Amino acid sequence: MAVALKRSLAVLVKSLGGPKWWQQASRSVSISASLSRVESPPARADATFKVTMLPGDGVGPELMTAVKDVFKAGDVPVEFDEFHLSEVQNMASEDKLEELLSSMKNNKVAIKGKIHTPMEFKGELASYEMRLRRKLDLFANVVHVNSLPGYSTRHNNLDLVIIREQTEGEYSSLEHESVPGVIECLKIITRAKSRRIAKFAFDYATKKGRNKVTAVHKANIMKLGDGLFLQCCAEVAQLYPKIKYENIIIDNCCMQLVQNPYQFDVLVMPNLYGNIIDNLAAGLVGGAGVVPGESYSAEYAVFETGARHPFAQAVGRNIANPTAMLLSAANMLRHLNLEYHSHMVSDAVKRVIKQGKVRTGDLGGYATSDEFTQAVIANLAV
Amino acid sequence: MYNKLGLHDYGRHTVTLIPGDGIGPELLNHVREVFRFSCVPVDFEVVHVNSALETDDDMNNAITAIRRNGVALKGNIETKHTLPASVKSRNNVLRTSLDLYANVMHCQSLPGVQTRHKNIDIMIIRENTEGEYSSLEHESVSGVVESLKIITRNNSLRIAEYAFQLARDKGRRRVTAVHKANIMKLGDGLFLQCCKEVASGYPDITFDSMIVDNTTMQLVSKPQQFDVMVMPNLYGNVVSNVCAGLVGGPGLVPGANYGRDYAVFETATRNTGKSIAGRNIANPTALLLASCMMLDHLELNDHATSIRNAVLTTMNETRLHTADIGGQGTTLEVVQSIMRIIQSKGQLTSEF
């Protein structure tokens, strides 16, 4: 245990002293919270990281159990602060939200499940998920869609990144019934936020060595709104001459994703199109149980699944696929600079899927979530 | 519901033809050739719309022509991003002025075309006049743009009624409403409520609903579960393009826009195809099948069936596939093959 701790401390110190830190400091919009971590008080004596955990609804709690089990088995130096916030189970209130926010302010990193939004209108137009995103200003949602080695779908060897603006657009929760029987929903696009997400997308592409950024829009119909978004993307693109910039209309983009998804590299788009394309791309590589995602703000990072569904039909039946949540947890460990542990977890998950002997129902197998988690734990030691 | 107002001089119908931009003009010429060859009793009144101009005169002429004839066949009119925002999308103006409230697209796997998904048979009914396409936008504060999405009770009831009636007429079992009512609680909530109300009047048809993100994921993994889908404007645009991609691409699927008094037929995915215009490589299938839908609407069913069969038989011939479905054939070869098949079936034809 002490050896593992020393190793993780060494990794932390090495990354702090190296050029990576300096590079991050010079970026005006910091992508990761590592920058602020450097300035925060030194690590505690036992050197565990504290992370806020929000199990959410549906299969969230089961998936979180899987993450905790794997972390315990792998001796990962992470401690979780759990919060139970749920709109459908009447466990949501302003106080809980405040508690959660103060915990986030301390920890800066969170892992969460989906907080389900009830369909009926109960007097509040903005869901708790949206309010959380706005309060923490988690403006960028990044979903890295990767084909899993060993699991073949109709589209193999896919490697796409989808960057979605997460705080404005169609999700502004501004609706009203001006005349009985006529409802107006407002979709808000602002120059500041469009520039911010465009800069984030190009910075991300530069950092990860990507070649092309494609903006997805519907500016032929929403000329002012999506026109402004496109204009901001084009302006930011001029600052990055090494990265190719293109744009495509959302309907054509969906059709191309189904026919020839290999032409895309990094995609950037406003809120609703991002929701649709995240789910479409997740469907291409194996479904909602397989793709991890993360949300970033200037100070915080929240890790979750890529396609966010509570999957209430699977609660208690032990059939949910923990892959997405485990891969997301591995991403979280990398974010915390625990490279060794991050690789350990993600390699174990990938090995289990590649071997193909233990697979949950959505990938065509018969294993339960517990069996899958046990298989991952067994592969951790190797 | 299917009103036809065509002129019946000497048993011939007059139909407005709007060539549009890109591949529209050349493909519509091929449609005319096929009609002339098969002696279809339809005359085309051609109305040109210049998309580069900022004035509305061209569009007004086109709309008046369609009001005159009742039926139209059109290519897609390009919407240039460079023109000022006050110039609205011409295709949209046409749809709203003529109140073509229902866009119907029938997506079927064609046996001759190789795709990753098989056995797809989905009808998509999309509300065509309101929703996100209201073109009501304004910049309230500099750098902040508000776009309005309008959902009304009347239009939602109307489209739901159309969907269920069509499902019953075609013998379909299930209607799925696609929405995002968890986020747009009032707007899509109203749409969903209207669909539920109409569903209660059709007890023989099952009704369920699905959120648009889950719908797209299900469409790429298991599209065979869908039967008839009804949805507001933007989701309709996305879902119809996904389905077109699943069955083989934009060159294969026809679409129709129906209103109470008028009907306009075009390709389902409304592509201009500027990059392939004039090169003899565009796929004429979608527009030819759209013209068959038009002939069915005009109750010239025999001609419709013969042309449709010829098109589908040509589809089975891999040698004649155009570039968009992975072949190397040219448009002209495909059209000539179609005309040859029509001639071989023994119907009355004019000179080749």
Side-chain angles (χ1 to χ4, degrees), chain A residues 111-140:
Chain A
I111 183 165
K112 72 182 267 287
K114 161 91 180 164
I115 305 172
H116 186 55
T117 322
M119 301 263 222
E120 307 81 41
F121 176 44
K122 287 192 181 142
E124 180 65 62
L125 279 176
S127 60
Y128 270 88
E129 247 312 303
M130 271 315 292
R131 280 159 66 187
L132 191 68
R133 278 179 221 159
R134 286 209 200 109
K135 288 225 155 94
L136 294 171
D137 198 25
L138 295 168
F139 65 93

Short mmCIF file of all heavy atoms in Angstrom, two decimals, chain A residues 111-140:
data_model
loop_
_atom_site.label_atom_id
_atom_site.label_comp_id
_atom_site.label_asym_id
_atom_site.label_seq_id
_atom_site.Cartn_x
_atom_site.Cartn_y
_atom_site.Cartn_z
N ILE A 111 -17.79 12.67 -9.63
CA ILE A 111 -18.23 11.61 -10.53
C ILE A 111 -19.72 11.45 -10.27
O ILE A 111 -20.16 11.44 -9.12
CB ILE A 111 -17.44 10.30 -10.30
CG1 ILE A 111 -17.87 9.24 -11.31
CG2 ILE A 111 -17.57 9.78 -8.89
CD1 ILE A 111 -16.90 8.08 -11.39
N LYS A 112 -20.52 11.40 -11.33
CA LYS A 112 -21.96 11.39 -11.08
C LYS A 112 -22.72 10.52 -12.04
O LYS A 112 -22.28 10.22 -13.15
CB LYS A 112 -22.51 12.82 -11.11
CG LYS A 112 -22.56 13.45 -12.48
CD LYS A 112 -23.08 14.88 -12.39
CE LYS A 112 -24.56 14.99 -12.60
NZ LYS A 112 -24.96 14.78 -13.98
N GLY A 113 -23.89 10.13 -11.60
CA GLY A 113 -24.84 9.43 -12.46
C GLY A 113 -25.83 10.45 -12.95
O GLY A 113 -25.68 11.65 -12.74
N LYS A 114 -26.88 9.98 -13.61
CA LYS A 114 -27.83 10.91 -14.19
C LYS A 114 -28.94 11.24 -13.19
O LYS A 114 -29.53 10.34 -12.60
CB LYS A 114 -28.42 10.26 -15.45
CG LYS A 114 -29.70 10.84 -15.92
CD LYS A 114 -29.46 11.94 -16.89
CE LYS A 114 -30.80 12.49 -17.34
NZ LYS A 114 -30.68 13.76 -17.99
N ILE A 115 -29.21 12.52 -13.01
CA ILE A 115 -30.32 12.91 -12.15
C ILE A 115 -31.53 13.03 -13.06
O ILE A 115 -31.60 13.90 -13.92
CB ILE A 115 -30.05 14.26 -11.47
CG1 ILE A 115 -28.73 14.19 -10.73
CG2 ILE A 115 -31.17 14.61 -10.51
CD1 ILE A 115 -28.28 15.51 -10.19
N HIS A 116 -32.48 12.13 -12.87
CA HIS A 116 -33.61 12.05 -13.81
C HIS A 116 -34.51 13.26 -13.72
O HIS A 116 -34.77 13.77 -12.62
CB HIS A 116 -34.40 10.79 -13.51
CG HIS A 116 -35.48 10.53 -14.49
ND1 HIS A 116 -35.25 10.45 -15.84
CD2 HIS A 116 -36.81 10.38 -14.34
CE1 HIS A 116 -36.38 10.22 -16.47
NE2 HIS A 116 -37.34 10.17 -15.59
N THR A 117 -34.99 13.70 -14.87
CA THR A 117 -35.89 14.86 -14.90
C THR A 117 -37.30 14.36 -15.15
O THR A 117 -37.56 13.74 -16.17
CB THR A 117 -35.52 15.78 -16.07
OG1 THR A 117 -34.11 15.80 -16.18
CG2 THR A 117 -36.03 17.17 -15.85
N PRO A 118 -38.23 14.61 -14.24
CA PRO A 118 -39.59 14.13 -14.48
C PRO A 118 -40.22 14.87 -15.65
O PRO A 118 -39.92 16.03 -15.90
CB PRO A 118 -40.32 14.46 -13.17
CG PRO A 118 -39.53 15.55 -12.56
CD PRO A 118 -38.12 15.37 -12.99
N MET A 119 -41.08 14.19 -16.40
CA MET A 119 -41.66 14.80 -17.59
C MET A 119 -42.74 15.80 -17.26
O MET A 119 -42.97 16.73 -17.99
CB MET A 119 -42.27 13.74 -18.48
CG MET A 119 -41.26 12.76 -18.89
SD MET A 119 -40.64 13.16 -20.46
CE MET A 119 -40.60 11.57 -21.09
N GLU A 120 -43.45 15.57 -16.15
CA GLU A 120 -44.57 16.47 -15.88
C GLU A 120 -44.03 17.80 -15.38
O GLU A 120 -43.02 17.88 -14.71
CB GLU A 120 -45.49 15.90 -14.80
CG GLU A 120 -45.99 14.50 -15.06
CD GLU A 120 -44.95 13.47 -14.67
OE1 GLU A 120 -44.30 13.64 -13.62
OE2 GLU A 120 -44.78 12.51 -15.43
N PHE A 121 -44.75 18.80 -15.66
CA PHE A 121 -44.37 20.14 -15.27
C PHE A 121 -44.83 20.36 -13.84
O PHE A 121 -46.01 20.47 -13.56
CB PHE A 121 -45.05 21.12 -16.23
CG PHE A 121 -44.82 22.56 -15.88
CD1 PHE A 121 -43.55 23.00 -15.52
CD2 PHE A 121 -45.84 23.47 -15.93
CE1 PHE A 121 -43.33 24.32 -15.21
CE2 PHE A 121 -45.62 24.80 -15.62
CZ PHE A 121 -44.37 25.23 -15.27
N LYS A 122 -43.88 20.41 -12.89
CA LYS A 122 -44.28 20.55 -11.49
C LYS A 122 -44.05 21.94 -10.97
O LYS A 122 -43.89 22.14 -9.80
CB LYS A 122 -43.47 19.55 -10.65
CG LYS A 122 -43.93 18.14 -10.85
CD LYS A 122 -43.34 17.21 -9.82
CE LYS A 122 -43.82 15.81 -10.10
NZ LYS A 122 -42.81 14.81 -9.87
N GLY A 123 -44.00 22.90 -11.83
CA GLY A 123 -43.84 24.28 -11.37
C GLY A 123 -42.46 24.83 -11.60
O GLY A 123 -42.23 26.03 -11.52
N GLU A 124 -41.51 23.97 -11.90
CA GLU A 124 -40.13 24.43 -12.07
C GLU A 124 -39.68 24.00 -13.45
O GLU A 124 -39.69 22.82 -13.77
CB GLU A 124 -39.28 23.75 -10.99
CG GLU A 124 -37.82 24.10 -11.00
CD GLU A 124 -37.55 25.55 -10.67
OE1 GLU A 124 -37.90 25.97 -9.55
OE2 GLU A 124 -37.00 26.25 -11.52
N LEU A 125 -39.32 24.96 -14.29
CA LEU A 125 -38.96 24.60 -15.65
C LEU A 125 -37.55 24.03 -15.77
O LEU A 125 -37.29 23.19 -16.61
CB LEU A 125 -39.07 25.82 -16.58
CG LEU A 125 -40.49 26.16 -17.06
CD1 LEU A 125 -40.46 27.42 -17.86
CD2 LEU A 125 -41.05 25.03 -17.88
N ALA A 126 -36.62 24.50 -14.92
CA ALA A 126 -35.24 24.02 -15.03
C ALA A 126 -35.06 22.80 -14.15
O ALA A 126 -35.41 22.81 -12.99
CB ALA A 126 -34.27 25.11 -14.61
N SER A 127 -34.49 21.73 -14.74
CA SER A 127 -34.28 20.53 -13.93
C SER A 127 -33.07 20.72 -13.03
O SER A 127 -32.26 21.62 -13.23
CB SER A 127 -34.06 19.34 -14.85
OG SER A 127 -32.92 19.60 -15.64
N TYR A 128 -32.91 19.82 -12.06
CA TYR A 128 -31.77 19.93 -11.15
C TYR A 128 -30.46 19.73 -11.87
O TYR A 128 -29.45 20.37 -11.56
CB TYR A 128 -31.91 18.94 -9.98
CG TYR A 128 -32.63 19.57 -8.83
CD1 TYR A 128 -34.01 19.53 -8.74
CD2 TYR A 128 -31.93 20.28 -7.86
CE1 TYR A 128 -34.67 20.15 -7.71
CE2 TYR A 128 -32.59 20.91 -6.83
CZ TYR A 128 -33.96 20.85 -6.76
OH TYR A 128 -34.62 21.47 -5.74
N GLU A 129 -30.48 18.86 -12.87
CA GLU A 129 -29.26 18.65 -13.68
C GLU A 129 -28.82 19.96 -14.32
O GLU A 129 -27.67 20.35 -14.26
CB GLU A 129 -29.60 17.74 -14.81
CG GLU A 129 -29.18 16.51 -15.05
CD GLU A 129 -28.09 15.61 -15.12
OE1 GLU A 129 -27.16 15.86 -15.87
OE2 GLU A 129 -28.18 14.63 -14.41
N MET A 130 -29.78 20.67 -14.94
CA MET A 130 -29.44 21.91 -15.63
C MET A 130 -28.95 22.94 -14.63
O MET A 130 -28.02 23.69 -14.90
CB MET A 130 -30.67 22.48 -16.35
CG MET A 130 -30.87 21.99 -17.75
SD MET A 130 -29.37 22.00 -18.74
CE MET A 130 -29.06 23.73 -18.91
N ARG A 131 -29.59 22.97 -13.46
CA ARG A 131 -29.20 23.99 -12.48
C ARG A 131 -27.80 23.71 -11.96
O ARG A 131 -27.00 24.62 -11.77
CB ARG A 131 -30.20 24.03 -11.35
CG ARG A 131 -31.43 24.82 -11.77
CD ARG A 131 -32.62 24.52 -10.98
NE ARG A 131 -32.44 24.94 -9.60
CZ ARG A 131 -33.30 24.66 -8.66
NH1 ARG A 131 -34.37 23.95 -8.95
NH2 ARG A 131 -33.10 25.06 -7.43
N LEU A 132 -27.51 22.43 -11.78
CA LEU A 132 -26.16 22.07 -11.33
C LEU A 132 -25.14 22.51 -12.36
O LEU A 132 -24.11 23.11 -12.04
CB LEU A 132 -26.12 20.55 -11.15
CG LEU A 132 -24.90 19.99 -10.45
CD1 LEU A 132 -24.90 20.42 -9.01
CD2 LEU A 132 -24.90 18.48 -10.52
N ARG A 133 -25.45 22.21 -13.63
CA ARG A 133 -24.51 22.61 -14.68
C ARG A 133 -24.31 24.10 -14.73
O ARG A 133 -23.21 24.60 -14.95
CB ARG A 133 -25.03 22.17 -16.05
CG ARG A 133 -24.75 20.76 -16.37
CD ARG A 133 -25.32 20.40 -17.71
NE ARG A 133 -25.91 19.08 -17.65
CZ ARG A 133 -26.81 18.64 -18.50
NH1 ARG A 133 -27.27 19.40 -19.45
NH2 ARG A 133 -27.28 17.42 -18.38
N ARG A 134 -25.39 24.84 -14.55
CA ARG A 134 -25.26 26.30 -14.63
C ARG A 134 -24.51 26.86 -13.44
O ARG A 134 -23.68 27.75 -13.59
CB ARG A 134 -26.64 26.96 -14.74
CG ARG A 134 -27.23 26.75 -16.09
CD ARG A 134 -28.16 27.85 -16.50
NE ARG A 134 -28.99 27.29 -17.55
CZ ARG A 134 -30.27 27.01 -17.38
NH1 ARG A 134 -30.87 27.30 -16.25
NH2 ARG A 134 -30.95 26.45 -18.35
N LYS A 135 -24.83 26.33 -12.23
CA LYS A 135 -24.18 26.88 -11.05
C LYS A 135 -22.68 26.60 -11.07
O LYS A 135 -21.89 27.43 -10.65
CB LYS A 135 -24.78 26.26 -9.78
CG LYS A 135 -26.18 26.75 -9.48
CD LYS A 135 -26.33 27.08 -8.00
CE LYS A 135 -27.42 28.09 -7.78
NZ LYS A 135 -28.70 27.48 -7.47
N LEU A 136 -22.30 25.42 -11.57
CA LEU A 136 -20.88 25.11 -11.64
C LEU A 136 -20.28 25.62 -12.95
O LEU A 136 -19.09 25.49 -13.17
CB LEU A 136 -20.66 23.60 -11.56
CG LEU A 136 -21.03 22.95 -10.24
CD1 LEU A 136 -20.96 21.44 -10.36
CD2 LEU A 136 -20.08 23.41 -9.15
N ASP A 137 -21.13 26.16 -13.82
CA ASP A 137 -20.69 26.66 -15.11
C ASP A 137 -19.94 25.60 -15.91
O ASP A 137 -18.87 25.85 -16.46
CB ASP A 137 -19.82 27.91 -14.95
CG ASP A 137 -19.71 28.69 -16.25
OD1 ASP A 137 -20.63 28.57 -17.09
OD2 ASP A 137 -18.71 29.39 -16.45
N LEU A 138 -20.50 24.40 -15.94
CA LEU A 138 -19.86 23.31 -16.70
C LEU A 138 -20.23 23.50 -18.16
O LEU A 138 -21.17 22.90 -18.66
CB LEU A 138 -20.40 21.96 -16.20
CG LEU A 138 -20.04 21.61 -14.77
CD1 LEU A 138 -20.87 20.43 -14.32
CD2 LEU A 138 -18.58 21.26 -14.68
N PHE A 139 -19.46 24.33 -18.83
CA PHE A 139 -19.91 24.71 -20.16
C PHE A 139 -19.56 23.70 -21.25
O PHE A 139 -20.16 23.71 -22.31
CB PHE A 139 -19.35 26.08 -20.54
CG PHE A 139 -17.85 26.10 -20.68
CD1 PHE A 139 -17.24 25.90 -21.91
CD2 PHE A 139 -17.04 26.32 -19.58
CE1 PHE A 139 -15.87 25.93 -22.05
CE2 PHE A 139 -15.67 26.35 -19.70
CZ PHE A 139 -15.08 26.15 -20.94
N ALA A 140 -18.57 22.86 -21.00
CA ALA A 140 -18.14 21.96 -22.08
C ALA A 140 -18.38 20.52 -21.71
O ALA A 140 -17.94 20.05 -20.67
CB ALA A 140 -16.67 22.17 -22.38
#
